[in-house]
Amino acid sequence: MGITRKGDIRQKTLNNIKPDADHGALYEVAVALFSLSAHGLTGVLVRDMTELIEES
């Protein structure tokens, strides 16, 4: 997430990330990507989605 000059929050989404990806590595990638942006990085949000199945 980043904040524009007007104060608006901007979000970028990365899809198809490996479920076992290290959170530290994800943060480093976000820092690297936002270093190319005109807006600074303010935070990294990871949304995990897990399917629960009944065990037999």
Coordinates of all heavy atoms in Angstrom, one line a residue:
M1 N 0.8 -1.2 0.0 CA 0.0 0.0 0.0 C 0.9 1.2 0.0 O 1.9 1.2 0.6 CB -0.9 0.0 1.2 CG -1.9 -1.1 1.3 SD -3.1 -1.0 2.7 CE -1.9 -1.2 4.0
G2 N 0.4 2.2 -0.7 CA 1.1 3.5 -0.7 C 0.2 4.7 -0.7 O -1.0 4.5 -0.8
I3 N 0.6 5.8 -0.4 CA -0.2 7.0 -0.3 C 0.2 8.0 -1.4 O 1.4 8.3 -1.6 CB -0.1 7.7 1.1 CG1 -0.6 6.7 2.1 CG2 -0.9 9.0 1.1 CD1 -0.6 7.2 3.5
T4 N -0.8 8.5 -2.2 CA -0.5 9.5 -3.2 C -0.3 10.9 -2.6 O -0.5 11.1 -1.4 CB -1.7 9.5 -4.2 OG1 -2.8 10.1 -3.5 CG2 -2.0 8.2 -4.8
R5 N 0.1 11.8 -3.5 CA 0.3 13.2 -3.0 C -1.0 13.8 -2.4 O -1.0 14.6 -1.6 CB 0.8 14.0 -4.1 CG 2.2 13.7 -4.5 CD 2.8 14.7 -5.6 NE 4.1 14.2 -6.0 CZ 4.3 13.8 -7.2 NH1 3.4 13.7 -8.2 NH2 5.5 13.4 -7.5
K6 N -2.1 13.3 -2.9 CA -3.4 13.8 -2.5 C -3.8 13.1 -1.1 O -4.8 13.5 -0.6 CB -4.5 13.5 -3.5 CG -4.4 14.4 -4.8 CD -5.5 14.1 -5.7 CE -5.4 14.9 -7.0 NZ -6.5 14.6 -7.9
G7 N -3.1 12.1 -0.7 CA -3.4 11.4 0.5 C -4.3 10.2 0.3 O -4.7 9.6 1.3
D8 N -4.5 9.8 -1.0 CA -5.3 8.6 -1.2 C -4.4 7.4 -1.1 O -3.3 7.4 -1.4 CB -5.8 8.6 -2.7 CG -6.8 9.8 -2.9 OD1 -7.5 10.2 -2.0 OD2 -6.8 10.3 -4.1
I9 N -5.0 6.3 -0.6 CA -4.3 5.0 -0.4 C -4.4 4.3 -1.7 O -5.4 4.2 -2.3 CB -4.9 4.2 0.7 CG1 -4.7 4.9 2.0 CG2 -4.3 2.8 0.7 CD1 -5.4 4.2 3.2
R10 N -3.2 3.8 -2.2 CA -3.1 3.0 -3.4 C -2.7 1.6 -3.1 O -1.9 1.4 -2.2 CB -2.1 3.6 -4.4 CG -2.3 5.0 -4.8 CD -3.5 5.1 -5.7 NE -3.4 4.2 -6.8 CZ -3.4 4.5 -8.1 NH1 -3.6 5.8 -8.5 NH2 -3.3 3.6 -9.0
Q11 N -3.4 0.7 -3.7 CA -3.0 -0.7 -3.4 C -2.6 -1.4 -4.8 O -3.2 -1.1 -5.8 CB -4.2 -1.5 -2.8 CG -4.5 -1.0 -1.5 CD -5.6 -1.9 -0.8 OE1 -6.0 -2.9 -1.4 NE2 -6.2 -1.5 0.3
K12 N -1.7 -2.3 -4.7 CA -1.3 -3.1 -5.8 C -1.5 -4.6 -5.4 O -1.2 -4.9 -4.2 CB 0.2 -2.9 -6.2 CG 0.5 -1.5 -6.6 CD -0.2 -1.2 -7.9 CE 0.1 0.2 -8.3 NZ -0.8 0.7 -9.4
T13 N -1.9 -5.4 -6.3 CA -2.2 -6.8 -5.9 C -1.3 -7.7 -6.7 O -1.1 -7.5 -7.9 CB -3.7 -7.2 -6.3 OG1 -4.6 -6.3 -5.6 CG2 -4.0 -8.6 -6.0
L14 N -0.7 -8.7 -6.0 CA 0.1 -9.7 -6.7 C -0.7 -11.0 -6.5 O -1.0 -11.4 -5.4 CB 1.5 -9.8 -6.0 CG 2.3 -8.6 -6.1 CD1 3.6 -8.8 -5.3 CD2 2.7 -8.2 -7.5
N15 N -0.9 -11.7 -7.6 CA -1.7 -12.9 -7.6 C -0.7 -14.1 -7.9 O 0.4 -14.0 -8.3 CB -2.7 -12.9 -8.7 CG -3.8 -11.8 -8.5 OD1 -4.3 -11.7 -7.4 ND2 -4.1 -11.1 -9.5
N16 N -1.3 -15.3 -7.6 CA -0.6 -16.6 -7.8 C 0.8 -16.7 -7.1 O 1.7 -17.2 -7.6 CB -0.3 -16.8 -9.3 CG -1.6 -16.8 -10.1 OD1 -2.6 -17.5 -9.7 ND2 -1.7 -16.1 -11.2
I17 N 0.8 -16.1 -5.9 CA 1.9 -16.3 -5.0 C 1.9 -17.7 -4.4 O 0.9 -18.2 -4.0 CB 1.9 -15.2 -3.9 CG1 1.9 -13.8 -4.5 CG2 3.1 -15.4 -2.9 CD1 3.0 -13.4 -5.3
K18 N 3.1 -18.3 -4.3 CA 3.1 -19.6 -3.7 C 2.6 -19.6 -2.2 O 3.0 -18.7 -1.5 CB 4.6 -20.2 -3.7 CG 5.1 -20.4 -5.1 CD 6.5 -20.9 -4.9 CE 7.1 -21.1 -6.3 NZ 8.5 -21.6 -6.2
P19 N 1.8 -20.6 -1.9 CA 1.2 -20.5 -0.5 C 2.3 -20.6 0.6 O 2.1 -20.1 1.7 CB 0.3 -21.8 -0.4 CG 0.1 -22.2 -1.8 CD 1.2 -21.7 -2.7
D20 N 3.4 -21.2 0.3 CA 4.5 -21.3 1.3 C 5.5 -20.2 1.2 O 6.6 -20.3 1.8 CB 5.1 -22.7 1.2 CG 5.8 -23.0 -0.2 OD1 5.5 -22.3 -1.1 OD2 6.5 -24.0 -0.2
A21 N 5.2 -19.2 0.4 CA 6.2 -18.1 0.3 C 6.5 -17.4 1.6 O 5.5 -17.2 2.4 CB 5.6 -17.0 -0.7
D22 N 7.7 -17.1 1.9 CA 8.1 -16.5 3.1 C 7.6 -15.1 3.2 O 7.8 -14.3 2.2 CB 9.7 -16.6 3.2 CG 10.2 -15.9 4.4 OD1 10.0 -16.5 5.5 OD2 10.8 -14.8 4.3
H23 N 7.0 -14.7 4.3 CA 6.5 -13.3 4.4 C 7.6 -12.3 4.4 O 7.4 -11.2 3.9 CB 5.7 -13.2 5.7 CG 4.4 -13.9 5.7 ND1 3.5 -13.9 6.7 CD2 3.8 -14.6 4.7 CE1 2.4 -14.6 6.4 NE2 2.6 -15.0 5.2
G24 N 8.8 -12.6 4.9 CA 9.9 -11.7 4.8 C 10.3 -11.4 3.3 O 10.6 -10.3 2.9
A25 N 10.3 -12.5 2.5 CA 10.6 -12.4 1.1 C 9.5 -11.5 0.4 O 9.8 -10.7 -0.5 CB 10.8 -13.7 0.5
L26 N 8.3 -11.8 0.7 CA 7.2 -11.0 0.1 C 7.3 -9.5 0.4 O 7.1 -8.6 -0.4 CB 5.8 -11.5 0.6 CG 5.4 -12.9 0.2 CD1 4.1 -13.2 0.9 CD2 5.2 -12.9 -1.3
Y27 N 7.7 -9.2 1.7 CA 7.9 -7.8 2.0 C 9.1 -7.2 1.2 O 8.9 -6.1 0.8 CB 8.2 -7.7 3.5 CG 8.3 -6.3 4.0 CD1 7.1 -5.5 4.3 CD2 9.5 -5.6 4.1 CE1 7.2 -4.2 4.7 CE2 9.6 -4.3 4.5 CZ 8.5 -3.6 4.8 OH 8.5 -2.3 5.2
E28 N 10.1 -7.9 1.1 CA 11.3 -7.4 0.3 C 10.9 -7.1 -1.1 O 11.3 -6.2 -1.7 CB 12.4 -8.4 0.4 CG 13.1 -8.5 1.7 CD 14.2 -9.5 1.8 OE1 14.7 -9.9 0.7 OE2 14.6 -9.9 2.9
V29 N 10.1 -8.0 -1.7 CA 9.6 -7.8 -3.1 C 8.7 -6.5 -3.2 O 8.9 -5.7 -4.1 CB 8.8 -9.0 -3.6 CG1 8.1 -8.7 -4.9 CG2 9.7 -10.2 -3.8
A30 N 7.9 -6.3 -2.2 CA 7.0 -5.1 -2.2 C 7.9 -3.9 -2.0 O 7.6 -2.9 -2.7 CB 6.0 -5.2 -1.0
V31 N 8.9 -3.9 -1.2 CA 9.8 -2.8 -1.1 C 10.5 -2.5 -2.4 O 10.6 -1.3 -2.8 CB 10.8 -3.0 0.0 CG1 11.9 -2.0 0.0 CG2 10.2 -3.0 1.4
A32 N 10.9 -3.5 -3.1 CA 11.6 -3.4 -4.4 C 10.7 -2.8 -5.4 O 11.1 -1.9 -6.2 CB 12.2 -4.7 -4.8
L33 N 9.4 -3.3 -5.5 CA 8.5 -2.8 -6.5 C 8.1 -1.3 -6.2 O 8.1 -0.5 -7.1 CB 7.2 -3.7 -6.5 CG 7.4 -5.1 -7.1 CD1 6.1 -5.9 -6.9 CD2 7.7 -5.0 -8.6
F34 N 7.9 -1.0 -4.9 CA 7.5 0.4 -4.6 C 8.7 1.4 -4.8 O 8.5 2.6 -4.9 CB 6.8 0.5 -3.2 CG 5.3 0.4 -3.3 CD1 4.7 -0.8 -3.3 CD2 4.6 1.5 -3.4 CE1 3.3 -0.9 -3.4 CE2 3.2 1.5 -3.4 CZ 2.6 0.2 -3.4
S35 N 9.9 0.9 -4.8 CA 11.0 1.7 -5.0 C 11.0 2.3 -6.4 O 11.6 3.3 -6.7 CB 12.3 1.0 -4.7 OG 12.6 0.1 -5.7
L36 N 10.3 1.6 -7.3 CA 10.1 2.1 -8.7 C 8.9 3.0 -8.9 O 8.7 3.5 -10.0 CB 9.9 0.8 -9.6 CG 11.1 -0.2 -9.6 CD1 10.7 -1.4 -10.4 CD2 12.4 0.4 -10.0
S37 N 8.2 3.2 -7.8 CA 6.9 4.0 -7.9 C 7.2 5.4 -7.4 O 8.1 5.7 -6.6 CB 5.9 3.3 -7.0 OG 4.7 4.2 -6.9
A38 N 6.4 6.3 -7.8 CA 6.4 7.7 -7.3 C 5.9 7.8 -5.9 O 6.1 8.8 -5.2 CB 5.7 8.6 -8.3
H39 N 5.2 6.8 -5.4 CA 4.6 6.8 -4.1 C 5.3 5.8 -3.2 O 5.7 4.7 -3.6 CB 3.1 6.3 -4.2 CG 2.4 7.1 -5.3 ND1 2.1 8.4 -5.2 CD2 1.9 6.7 -6.5 CE1 1.5 8.8 -6.3 NE2 1.3 7.8 -7.1
G40 N 5.5 6.2 -1.9 CA 6.2 5.4 -1.0 C 5.3 4.3 -0.5 O 4.1 4.3 -0.4
L41 N 6.0 3.2 0.0 CA 5.3 2.1 0.6 C 5.0 2.4 2.0 O 5.8 2.9 2.8 CB 6.3 0.9 0.6 CG 5.8 -0.4 1.2 CD1 4.6 -1.0 0.3 CD2 6.9 -1.4 1.3
T42 N 3.7 2.1 2.4 CA 3.3 2.4 3.8 C 3.0 1.1 4.5 O 2.9 1.0 5.7 CB 2.0 3.2 3.8 OG1 1.0 2.6 3.1 CG2 2.3 4.6 3.2
G43 N 2.8 0.0 3.8 CA 2.5 -1.3 4.4 C 2.3 -2.4 3.4 O 2.1 -2.1 2.2
V44 N 2.4 -3.6 3.9 CA 2.2 -4.8 3.1 C 1.1 -5.6 3.7 O 1.2 -6.0 4.9 CB 3.5 -5.6 2.9 CG1 3.2 -6.9 2.1 CG2 4.5 -4.8 2.3
L45 N 0.1 -6.0 3.0 CA -1.0 -6.8 3.5 C -1.0 -8.1 2.8 O -1.1 -8.2 1.5 CB -2.4 -6.1 3.3 CG -3.6 -6.8 3.7 CD1 -3.7 -7.0 5.2 CD2 -4.8 -5.9 3.2
V46 N -1.0 -9.2 3.5 CA -1.1 -10.6 2.9 C -2.4 -11.2 3.3 O -2.8 -11.3 4.4 CB 0.1 -11.5 3.5 CG1 0.0 -12.9 2.9 CG2 1.4 -10.9 3.2
R47 N -3.1 -11.6 2.2 CA -4.4 -12.2 2.4 C -4.3 -13.7 2.0 O -4.1 -14.0 0.9 CB -5.5 -11.5 1.6 CG -5.8 -10.1 2.0 CD -6.9 -9.6 1.1 NE -7.1 -8.2 1.5 CZ -7.5 -7.3 0.7 NH1 -7.8 -7.5 -0.6 NH2 -7.7 -6.0 1.1
D48 N -4.4 -14.5 3.0 CA -4.3 -16.0 2.7 C -5.7 -16.6 2.6 O -6.6 -16.2 3.4 CB -3.6 -16.7 3.9 CG -2.1 -16.3 4.0 OD1 -1.5 -16.0 2.9 OD2 -1.6 -16.2 5.1
M49 N -5.9 -17.4 1.7 CA -7.2 -18.1 1.5 C -6.9 -19.6 1.6 O -6.1 -20.1 0.8 CB -7.9 -17.8 0.2 CG -9.3 -18.3 0.2 SD -10.4 -17.6 -1.1 CE -9.4 -17.1 -2.4
T50 N -7.6 -20.3 2.5 CA -7.4 -21.7 2.8 C -8.7 -22.4 2.6 O -9.7 -22.0 3.2 CB -6.8 -21.9 4.2 OG1 -5.6 -21.2 4.3 CG2 -6.5 -23.4 4.4
E51 N -8.7 -23.5 1.9 CA -9.9 -24.4 1.8 C -9.9 -25.4 2.9 O -8.9 -26.1 3.0 CB -9.9 -25.0 0.4 CG -11.1 -25.9 0.2 CD -11.2 -26.6 -1.1 OE1 -10.2 -26.5 -1.9 OE2 -12.2 -27.2 -1.4
L52 N -10.9 -25.5 3.6 CA -11.1 -26.5 4.7 C -11.9 -27.7 4.1 O -13.0 -27.5 3.6 CB -11.7 -25.9 5.9 CG -11.0 -24.8 6.5 CD1 -11.8 -24.2 7.7 CD2 -9.6 -25.1 7.0
I53 N -11.4 -28.9 4.3 CA -12.1 -30.1 3.8 C -12.3 -31.0 4.9 O -11.5 -31.1 5.9 CB -11.4 -30.7 2.6 CG1 -10.0 -31.2 3.0 CG2 -11.3 -29.8 1.4 CD1 -9.3 -32.0 2.0
E54 N -13.4 -31.8 4.8 CA -13.7 -32.8 5.8 C -12.7 -34.0 5.7 O -12.5 -34.5 4.6 CB -15.1 -33.3 5.7 CG -15.5 -34.3 6.8 CD -17.0 -34.7 6.6 OE1 -17.7 -34.0 5.9 OE2 -17.4 -35.6 7.3
E55 N -12.1 -34.4 6.8 CA -11.2 -35.6 6.7 C -12.1 -36.8 6.8 O -13.0 -36.9 7.6 CB -10.2 -35.5 7.9 CG -9.2 -34.3 7.7 CD -8.2 -34.3 8.8 OE1 -8.0 -35.4 9.4 OE2 -7.7 -33.3 9.1
S56 N -11.6 -37.8 6.1 CA -12.4 -39.1 6.2 C -11.7 -40.1 7.0 O -10.6 -40.0 7.4 CB -12.6 -39.7 4.8 OG -11.5 -39.7 4.0

